[in-house]
Amino acid sequence: MSVQPILSVTELKKTFPDGTRALRGVSLDVMPGEFLVMIGSSGAGKSTFLRCINHLFEPTGGRIVYDGRDISKVSGAKLRRLRRELGMIFQGYNLVKRLSTIENVLLGRLGYMSSISGALGLYTKQDRERAVELLIRVGLGEQRFKRADQLSGGQQQRVGIARAIAQNARLVLADEPIASLDPKASDTVMSYLHEVTREENITCIVNLHQVDYAKRFADRIIGLKDGEITFIGKPEEVTDKVIRDLYGEKGDQVDE
Amino acid sequence: MSDGVLEYTRKNAIRRRRIARLIIFGFTVAVLVSAHGTGFRIRDLYRGIPNIIQFLTEDLLPPRFSVWRRFLGPTLETIAMSYAGTFLSVVFAAPLGFLAARNVSPYPIVMQIARATAVFMRTIPPIVWALLLVSIVGIGPFAGTIALGLSGAGMLIKSYADSIEDIDAGQIEAVRATGAGTFAVMMKGVVPQFSPSFVSWSLYRFDLNIRSAAVVGLVGAGGLGFSLSTAVRLFRYQEAAVAILWILGLILAIEFVTAKLRGHLI
Ligand SMILES: Nc1ncnc2c1ncn2[C@@H]1O[C@H](COP(=O)(O)OP(=O)(O)OP(=O)(O)O)[C@@H](O)[C@H]1O
Ligand SMILES: [Mg+2]
């Protein structure tokens, strides 16, 4: 028996109210445990794609099937249950800056709590222990009582990873997790993201600007251009021509 | 734009100059008209100067310091009124502030209602609330407290809502993306970002209430203002002078304390 894809997207479309057609029919199957990297120039629709999956944006067409369930249209409690299984990592980290590092990791548990107990921060003892464990795992055990905004960018993004894992996410959506980081911090963050999701067998879709990182970490690379997939393949299949096609004639990933 | 940049900007400059002249002209006319309407005469003001000096030096001064103790009670009453008034406003305004903030309000119609409530309460000055309330619940600090509470709530709803609209949407989105419920998103994503402005605005309102408390007191709503107006009505100006000093001292002291508190809390 063949393995079912954990995420199956068919003809996904997103047109914004202002008429921008950000996604023009994207179809993609993601297999369990895959580490997928999506590349493409600015405005290609990478963020829009991820945000349609967890309904931070409402898709305007197409079908999304996650774990055998049609999630093209979900709302209310169903949407909450979906979101807690999808960890999201943001370019701007989006930690709640005035909360402590540990509490930011604990935010990952909110999807499993009633709204009231979540609001009051009544996390269980196991949740707290797990959060500490996860922080140690991303090398931030000592920092757990620091306020989130006192951490460096790279450290904040590692907290972002811990928050996503704390959700017991089965699929992590990372939207340019290293775009605001220097090379050293980028290395660290990508390595942690790769390592932790491999160990926990979590599927991962990562948007990246940097082709070199994509080649280094990806199981498969998706090339997105003007809201359409123009390339799917193994890292070694990403030739200079592919990159030129994706990013225009300049032949490098630096755009704008 | 067919005129070219130079011609276009030149026309703009001329238009701006014309508008400026119009404003100055209108302003001058308004001053003259209002002076006429209120019977204001430079001559009268000039002739009144000896009277003013006499009032200051003979009636008001020196303050009769021996009565200072008499204002101790009213001072505490003013503080209590301001504090209770602030408390009322905060309790009332905190939920409405959330509902009035565009970025977190659940429905646009709710937002409009909350905003309208704020505008309505804010447009009515504390002294008008006080006048109304004194005639409803009678003379005393209770009327003053409610008056301060109501006018303060209007201001706080708007200030809270504006601060909430300024917070970082990314942090809220991240909490929402974990699958958190609406109330949890509020408490974990919005409140931590909002709390410094919340403290700041609430303390500022307390500051303002101390000032307003003196004013609403004048119409009988308790506190130092009431003592002051009583002294004036009995022509005991030297005692009134002491009351005025008390009010000044109190305002300065409270400002000092709230500034310190703000520094510690934020
Ligand atoms: N909220 C929005 N309203 C209208 N248009 C939008 C909105 N968000 C994105 N777009 C448009 O959709 C298109 C795709 O944007 P998207 O952010 O998905 O690109 P991206 O590939 O993530 O680019 P980047 O690498 O710069 O992050 C762009 O043309 C963008 O201007
Ligand atoms: Mg993007």
Side-chain angles (χ1 to χ4, degrees), chain A residues 14-23 38-51 57 91 175-176 207-209 224 226-227 255-256:
Chain A
K14 173 67 186 176
T15 307
F16 285 104
D18 65 0
T20 310
R21 294 173 66 198
L23 298 176
M38 189 171 261
I39 56 174
S41 64
S42 189
K46 304 183 296 295
S47 303
T48 307
F49 177 76
L50 292 190
R51 289 168 160 269
F57 287 162
Q91 173 177 349
D175 193 7
E176 308 212 21
N207 285 347
L208 283 181
H209 255 100
L224 201 65
D226 297 332
D255 45 23
E256 287 164 274

Side-chain angles (χ1 to χ4, degrees), chain A residues 25-58:
Chain A
V26 171
S27 300
L28 178 67
D29 280 351
V30 184
M31 302 319 267
E34 235 188 332
F35 197 91
L36 208 74
V37 173
M38 189 171 261
I39 56 174
S41 64
S42 189
K46 304 183 296 295
S47 303
T48 307
F49 177 76
L50 292 190
R51 289 168 160 269
C52 280
I53 294 172
N54 64 359
H55 290 265
L56 286 178
F57 287 162
E58 260 341 284

Side-chain angles (χ1 to χ4, degrees), chain A residues 36-199:
Chain A
L36 208 74
V37 173
M38 189 171 261
I39 56 174
S41 64
S42 189
K46 304 183 296 295
S47 303
T48 307
F49 177 76
L50 292 190
R51 289 168 160 269
C52 280
I53 294 172
N54 64 359
H55 290 265
L56 286 178
F57 287 162
E58 260 341 284
T60 45
R63 221 164 95 89
I64 310 173
V65 177
Y66 165 75
D67 198 24
R69 290 174 273 158
D70 189 330
I71 57 156
S72 315
K73 287 208 165 46
V74 281
S75 59
K78 263 197 177 142
L79 178 58
R80 278 190 62 190
R81 270 199 304 277
L82 169 69
R83 279 179 174 163
R84 70 185 187 195
E85 289 184 31
L86 308 177
M88 182 132 199
I89 296 173
F90 301 83
Q91 173 177 349
Y93 328 126
N94 288 358
L95 302 185
V96 179
K97 294 207 176 86
R98 293 176 55 87
L99 295 181
S100 66
T101 302
I102 179 99
E103 174 137 33
N104 266 286
V105 179
L106 284 165
L107 293 181
R109 301 308 299 162
L110 292 179
Y112 296 89
M113 303 161 70
S114 76
S115 198
I116 301 278
S117 47
L120 298 175
L122 305 175
Y123 309 106
T124 63
K125 191 152 169 290
Q126 293 100 292
D127 284 349
R128 289 173 189 281
E129 284 166 1
R130 179 95 202 288
V132 175
E133 207 178 282
L134 284 171
L135 277 176
I136 293 172
R137 199 123 143 233
V138 295
L140 295 172
E142 301 285 304
Q143 318 284 342
R144 60 178 175 272
F145 298 122
K146 258 196 198 168
R147 246 172 63 164
D149 55 3
Q150 291 171 342
L151 301 176
S152 74
Q155 290 173 329
Q156 290 192 41
Q157 196 59 296
R158 275 139 70 189
V159 178
I161 296 173
R163 177 173 63 190
I165 308 298
Q167 283 177 234
N168 283 341
R170 298 186 48 217
L171 173 63
V172 163
L173 311 169
D175 193 7
E176 308 212 21
I178 57 172
S180 319
L181 298 175
D182 65 37
K184 189 160 166 288
S186 297
D187 262 24
T188 321
V189 164
M190 278 308 288
S191 306
Y192 274 120
L193 179 61
H194 191 255
E195 190 184 301
V196 176
T197 52
R198 293 317 80 197
E199 283 167 5

Side-chain angles (χ1 to χ4, degrees), chain B residues 137-154:
Chain B
V137 302
I139 284 180
F142 183 61
T145 306
I146 309 275
L148 293 178
L150 288 176
S151 59

